[in-house]
Amino acid sequence: MGKGCFITFEGIDGAGKSTQLAWVKELLVNRGIAVTVTREPGGTSLGERLREILLHSEDAVLPETEALLMFAARREHIDKVITPALARGEVVLCDRFTDATIAYQGGGSGVSIAKLESLERWVQGDLQPDLTLYFDLPVEVAKERINDPRRQDRFERETDGFFERVRFAYLARARAQPQRIRVIDANVRPAVINKKLEDIISSICL
Ligand code: TMP
């Protein structure tokens, strides 16, 4: 068994990362590679229940509470889903991970990045994604892509200013960790993005 490969997908809401994740899954499965697809918040039964609270709670939730719940769900997710799949030698495709907490709760809502990084060390230990694909898109373009306002979750209803801060935080993190985080221009034709993803993934995980 190999050591597996852990790939995370990030971007502001509307950047198209989930569509690209589905495309990467097809690419790998067609090559006969065992893949686990999962997401955050979520991925375990407790995590999915926390997701429901985080995305759809009617009550106001403090940003610090949001961050702690994200990391609580993540602890379960790492132990029950991600680490076992990596130990089986699989490629794990995860729709969002800790970079989202740094970007949304840290950049967007102002929670101390130092505190989030200390939770990251506590919850993850040595575990980091082998590769993070960050899909970058201007906020105004992403907003147009988010469909029906009546079906939006708590985060999707945030202001443009919030999403500008989230994007800025993602880009800062990508500059700080260029060996792990690849910035993908999501404002181009899907075929161009697909080709780029195939090149990157082939060089890192295949
Ligand atoms: P999704 O729409 O990509 O499935 O993500 C759900 C929402 O949760 C999205 O608006 C971003 C938000 N989120 C955070 O705010 N912090 C986190 O740590 C994670 C994983 C997601």
Side-chain angles (χ1 to χ4, degrees):
M1 284 202 219
K3 76 173 210 7
C5 189
F6 182 25
I7 306 178
T8 60
F9 292 69
E10 298 282 357
I12 60 172
D13 295 81
K17 65 179 170 45
S18 306
T19 310
Q20 293 302 333
L21 188 154
W23 186 84
V24 170
K25 180 192 171 193
E26 280 303 303
L27 175 81
L28 296 173
V29 167
N30 288 339
R31 292 190 188 186
I33 293 165
V35 177
T36 287
V37 172
T38 188
R39 68 174 180 180
E40 292 205 348
T44 64
S45 58
L46 175 63
E48 291 295 329
R49 284 159 71 194
L50 290 173
R51 179 186 179 91
E52 182 58 29
I53 294 168
L54 282 157
L55 269 59
H56 301 294
S57 170
E58 300 288 330
D59 304 322
V61 181
L62 289 173
E64 287 78 6
T65 311
E66 269 175 15
L68 291 165
L69 291 176
M70 294 290 179
F71 274 109
R74 187 163 296 135
R75 185 70 195 87
E76 290 287 309
H77 193 206
I78 290 171
D79 199 63
K80 295 186 175 154
V81 176
I82 297 173
T83 305
L86 293 174
R88 292 192 300 270
E90 296 181 12
V91 175
V92 175
L93 303 178
C94 189
D95 197 334
R96 298 195 186 279
F97 195 61
T98 300
D99 298 313
T101 318
I102 303 283
Y104 279 76
Q105 281 67 50
S109 300
V111 177
S112 148
I113 302 281
K115 283 185 186 157
L116 296 177
E117 286 175 345
S118 97
L119 285 169
E120 177 184 29
R121 281 189 294 277
W122 181 44
V123 166
Q124 286 170 230
D126 290 336
L127 180 73
Q128 279 293 343
D130 297 292
L131 169 68
T132 294
L133 300 165
Y134 164 63
F135 294 88
D136 187 52
L137 198 62
V139 170
E140 61 274 17
V141 182
K143 277 264 165 165
E144 279 168 22
R145 291 189 190 173
I146 301 176
N147 28 15
D148 190 349
R150 285 162 305 177
R151 295 181 52 210
Q152 286 173 358
D153 64 44
R154 284 179 55 243
F155 294 101
E156 288 168 338
R157 285 195 291 269
E158 283 284 359
T159 62
D160 287 4
F162 176 88
F163 283 109
E164 293 289 0
R165 293 194 299 278
V166 172
R167 184 184 184 205
F168 187 83
Y170 268 129
L171 288 169
R173 185 119 159 133
R175 272 194 304 278
Q177 301 187 37
Q179 70 295 351
R180 171 173 70 84
I181 305 176
R182 302 294 298 266
V183 178
I184 314 281
D185 179 1
N187 206 7
V188 296
R189 284 185 298 115
V192 176
I193 301 176
N194 295 162
K195 173 76 180 78
K196 179 145 198 178
L197 292 184
E198 187 167 5
D199 291 346
I200 294 172
I201 286 168
S202 299
S203 70
I204 298 210
C205 281
L206 301 183

